């Protein structure tokens, strides 16, 4: 299968063609045209034209287009799920879930298009405002540059494209190099659904060249980025006065209190740590367990991890597939070695063969080991013990990141104390931090980023408030 890039409303050749491989076994799954910095310039010019049409569309029409794309996505869901599973190495069942979540993101975006509204400003609340009326209207921001990572190639793209189009903007999308196919399939649904030419452009290609060209372009009004903190910080440095939203990584933590129900906590921690081989920004990475439950928790967690079936991503039975590339697998393996060298105990997993790695559970990991201190983005969970809740909260907060965290406890007082004291963007009680529903406000503090996604919140960032005063 060969996919052209999408620019100015049509599919066309790029400057080169690249193979897209299944990370599990390296087989070529598709060939994709890529662009360069000059093509980003062309895409921005096309988006500026598309923007003029988008601004004139009624809210009803924008919502209609988004709902038509949703319908086409659901109709084509099997092909899309196979594309996602193949290019990012995610088990098919998780890819199917991503498709259905993507359909939800489109629905919530359409609802935001319909509900987008300003407000009246009570100008005569100031004496000198007498005889005037004021209103705020919400206008599109302009051309939005969307840069997305490999791990949720459909849904994280939709979290940017959906609200941007709902708000009447035009988009230039730079998908991750490993996963351009789902983005181009999505573009085909938009084209078929009647989206104005140039309102969406998809240009795959090397991030450092294309991403930076987008961030520097004077006609781009906003960069919305999901990816690693290093790239996010760099983009903010070069974006100048553009609006910038950054959804970055984390080393998400879970507290398992003495009164936790392990029948609930353990299975959720297993799936929360090892879904998509831990390549999820809110993957469970650090688990702090009350010392009274520690032995039992570790035994059950290790058994759960050891039982996960590994295999090719497109097989129905597969629960764990591979990392995105061998370099990433080698990095995660070296972090396990470093932690073990510093005194951690490897209870299960960690064996590596090429891109594949068995889910690993370690205990007694020193807080300074990379495996805890940095974002692992791999199939690893470090389990440490604590004595009281203050100590556990301190351990969770001892992190450069703050995306989501959680606690398992039956004590509502403890649950809400932790919810208030843990420094994160989102906190879950009796669930794992890996939970995300697409309409909720989602984003982090500290190195985990700035701004919130979820269509209702993203459209705030993607529209400008304009004040109109009328002297009556
Ligand atoms: P990267 O930061 O490596 O890449 C993300 C995107 O940025 C890709 O499209 C990439 O292109 C592009 N890019 C790379 N270098 C530059 C650059 N210098 N300037 C502009 N763009 C650039 O992240 P990954 O794809 O590896 O994704 C993993 C990261 O994403 C993890 O840190 C994870 O936590 C984070 N993430 C955060 C989420 C959140 O919502 N908070 C959700 C999911 C993931 P190319 O592929 O061509 O290199």
């Amino acid at each position: 299968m060969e996919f052209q890039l999408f620019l100015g409303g049509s599919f066309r050749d790029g400057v080169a063609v690249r193979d897209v491989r299944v990370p599990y076994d390296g087989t070529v799954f598709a060939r994709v045209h890529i662009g360069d910095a000059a093509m980003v310039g062309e895409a921005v010019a096309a988006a500026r034209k598309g923007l003029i049409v988008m601004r004139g569309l009624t809210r009803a029409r924008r919502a209609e287009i988004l709902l038509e794309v949703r319908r086409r996505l659901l109709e084509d869901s099997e092909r899309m799920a196979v594309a996602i599973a193949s290019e990012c190495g995610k088990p098919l069942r998780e890819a199917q879930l991503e498709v259905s979540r993507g359909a939800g993101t489109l629905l919530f975006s359409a609802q935001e298009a319909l509900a987008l509204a300003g407000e009246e400003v009570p100008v005569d609340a100031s004496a000198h405002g007498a005889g005037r009326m004021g209103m705020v209207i919400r206008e599109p921001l302009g051309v939005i540059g969307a840069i997305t990572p490999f791990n949720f190639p459909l849904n994280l793209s939709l979290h940017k494209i959906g609200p941007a189009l709902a708000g009447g903007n035009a988009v230039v999308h730079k998908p991750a190099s490993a996963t351009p196919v789902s983005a181009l399939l999505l573009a085909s649904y938009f084209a078929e659904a009647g989206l104005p030419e140039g309102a969406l452009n998809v240009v795959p290609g090397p991030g450092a060249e294309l991403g930076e060209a987008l961030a520097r372009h004077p006609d781009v009004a906003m960069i919305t980025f999901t990816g690693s903190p290093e790239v996010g910080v760099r983009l903010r440095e070069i974006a100048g006065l553009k609006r910038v939203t950054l959804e970055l990584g984390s080393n998400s933590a879970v507290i398992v209190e003495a009164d936790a129900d392990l029948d609930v906590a353990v299975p959720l921690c297993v799936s929360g740590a090892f879904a998509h081989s831990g390549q999820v920004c809110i993957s469970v990475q650090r688990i702090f367990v009350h010392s009274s439950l520690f032995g039992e928790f570790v035994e059950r967690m290790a058994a759960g991890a050891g039982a996960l079936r590994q295999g090719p991503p497109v097989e129905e039975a597969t629960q764990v597939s591979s990392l995105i590339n061998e370099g990433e697998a080698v990095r995660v393996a070296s972090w396990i070695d470093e932690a073990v060298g510093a005194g951690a105990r490897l209870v299960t997993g960690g064996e590596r063969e090429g891109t594949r790695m068995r889910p690993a559970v370690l205990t007694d990991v020193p807080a300074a080991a990379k495996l805890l201190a940095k974002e692992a983005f791999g199939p690893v969970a470090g389990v440490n013990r604590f004595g009281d809740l203050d100590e556990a909260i301190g351990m969770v907060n001892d992190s450069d990141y703050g995306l989501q965290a959680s606690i398992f406890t039956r004590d509502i007082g403890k649950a809400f104390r932790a919810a208030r004291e843990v420094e994160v963007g989102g906190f879950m009680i009796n669930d794992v931090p890996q939970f995300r529903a697409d309409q909720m406000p989602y984003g982090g503090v500290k190195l985990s980023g700035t701004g919130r996604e979820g269509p209702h919140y993203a459209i705030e960032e993607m529209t400008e408030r304009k004040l109109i005063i009328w002297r009556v």
Side-chain angles (χ1 to χ4, degrees):
M1 273 182 298
E2 190 165 305
F3 292 83
Q4 292 170 301
L5 52 76
F6 186 61
L7 205 161
S10 50
F11 285 92
R12 50 180 269 196
D13 287 354
V15 296
V17 184
R18 285 264 167 81
D19 290 341
V20 179
R21 293 174 186 274
V22 180
Y24 182 79
D25 55 16
T27 51
V28 175
F29 150 71
R31 287 173 57 72
V32 165
H33 285 254
I34 62 166
D36 58 7
M39 271 192 147
V40 167
E42 276 184 63
V44 173
R48 275 176 65 86
K49 287 191 188 147
L51 179 63
I52 296 167
V53 186
M54 284 300 290
R55 289 176 72 105
L57 290 191
T58 60
R59 288 163 169 78
R61 181 67 191 133
R62 291 178 207 158
E64 226 169 63
I65 293 170
L66 290 161
L67 291 175
E68 177 58 17
V69 171
R70 176 175 189 270
R71 193 187 67 72
R72 285 171 189 271
L73 169 64
L74 289 172
E75 207 173 72
D76 203 23
S77 60
E78 244 346 273
R79 185 163 69 129
M80 179 60 98
V82 168
I84 293 171
S86 303
E87 64 182 356
C88 78
K90 170 181 294 188
L92 188 63
R93 280 192 274 181
E94 292 178 34
Q96 287 162 340
L97 177 63
E98 183 173 346
V99 174
S100 93
R101 284 185 54 190
T105 305
L106 281 159
L107 174 65
F108 299 128
S109 297
Q111 287 171 341
E112 290 308 318
L114 297 176
L116 183 64
E119 62 203 1
E120 184 190 352
V121 181
V123 197
D124 64 359
S126 299
H128 67 282
R132 291 169 176 85
M133 279 183 70
M135 68 166 95
V136 167
I137 58 169
R138 302 267 298 275
E139 295 198 325
L141 204 58
V143 176
I144 297 195
I147 307 175
T148 51
F150 72 84
N151 60 340
F152 285 84
L154 172 71
N155 197 29
L156 293 182
S157 302
L158 279 169
H159 268 288
K160 301 182 183 318
I161 296 166
L165 298 178
N169 299 285
V171 178
V172 178
H173 178 205
K174 208 305 278 175
S177 288
T179 57
V181 175
S182 43
L184 291 164
L185 279 178
L186 178 64
S188 72
Y189 309 148
F190 273 106
E192 290 156 9
L195 186 73
E197 283 180 10
L200 172 66
N201 306 273
V202 183
V203 189
E209 182 184 349
L210 277 67
E212 296 209 6
L214 257 184
R216 288 183 195 283
H217 202 296
D219 291 336
V220 172
M222 174 180 180
I223 293 292
T224 168
F225 171 80
T226 299
S228 57
E230 298 72 27
V231 175
V233 169
R234 166 95 186 128
L235 286 171
R236 186 176 279 290
E237 277 168 9
I238 63 177
L241 284 181
K242 292 180 178 60
R243 214 171 272 184
V244 178
T245 296
L246 302 174
E247 295 291 346
L248 310 177
S250 196
N251 56 355
S252 299
V254 178
I255 298 171
V256 181
E257 256 293 357
D259 60 357
D261 181 348
L262 291 191
D263 289 341
V264 174
V266 172
L268 284 170
C269 283
V270 170
S271 61
F274 303 122
H276 197 9
S277 292
Q279 299 167 112
V280 179
C281 43
I282 37 179
S283 193
V284 171
Q285 181 176 336
R286 302 180 296 149
I287 307 177
F288 301 109
V289 182
H290 190 270
S291 49
S292 62
L293 289 182
F294 186 77
E296 187 185 352
F297 181 92
V298 170
E299 199 178 302
R300 290 170 66 170
M301 180 86 192
L308 293 171
R309 280 186 304 273
Q310 191 155 20
V314 289
E315 282 182 14
E316 290 277 351
T318 295
Q319 292 170 300
V320 177
S321 186
S322 70
L323 280 92
I324 190 70
N325 59 49
E326 186 160 359
E328 282 297 286
V330 168
R331 174 187 60 76
V332 177
S334 78
W335 288 15
I336 293 175
D337 290 345
E338 184 217 46
V340 170
R345 187 167 76 89
L346 178 60
V347 185
T348 186
E351 303 86 357
R352 184 185 73 82
E353 192 192 334
T355 55
R356 305 170 203 174
M357 178 177 276
R358 284 299 307 166
V361 177
L362 293 92
T363 60
D364 307 293
V365 185
K370 290 196 194 79
L371 196 85
L372 283 202
K374 292 188 165 292
E375 177 183 34
F377 224 57
V380 288
V383 191
N384 283 354
R385 69 194 91 199
F386 68 85
D388 65 31
L389 185 58
D390 284 332
E391 189 190 1
I393 291 172
M395 288 163 138
V396 174
N397 286 342
D398 181 19
S399 168
D400 293 336
Y401 305 94
L403 192 47
Q404 298 199 145
S406 81
I407 190 168
F408 286 92
T409 180
R410 293 182 171 99
D411 181 332
I412 195 167
K414 283 184 173 174
F416 276 90
R417 184 147 77 82
R420 292 176 63 105
E421 292 181 17
V422 167
E423 298 156 359
V424 286
F427 191 82
M428 280 77 204
I429 297 167
N430 289 325
D431 207 337
V432 275
Q434 201 234 25
F435 176 77
R436 180 177 186 186
D438 294 284
Q439 69 279 29
M440 72 191 209
Y442 180 76
V445 299
K446 303 184 189 172
L447 256 193
S448 294
T450 53
R452 292 291 178 271
E453 287 199 334
H456 181 65
Y457 307 90
I459 202 169
E460 277 287 321
E461 317 249 358
M462 293 172 169
T463 47
E464 194 74 87
R465 287 184 153 73
K466 181 189 274 177
L467 172 71
I468 301 175
I469 300 284
W470 175 30
R471 204 164 61 76
V472 291

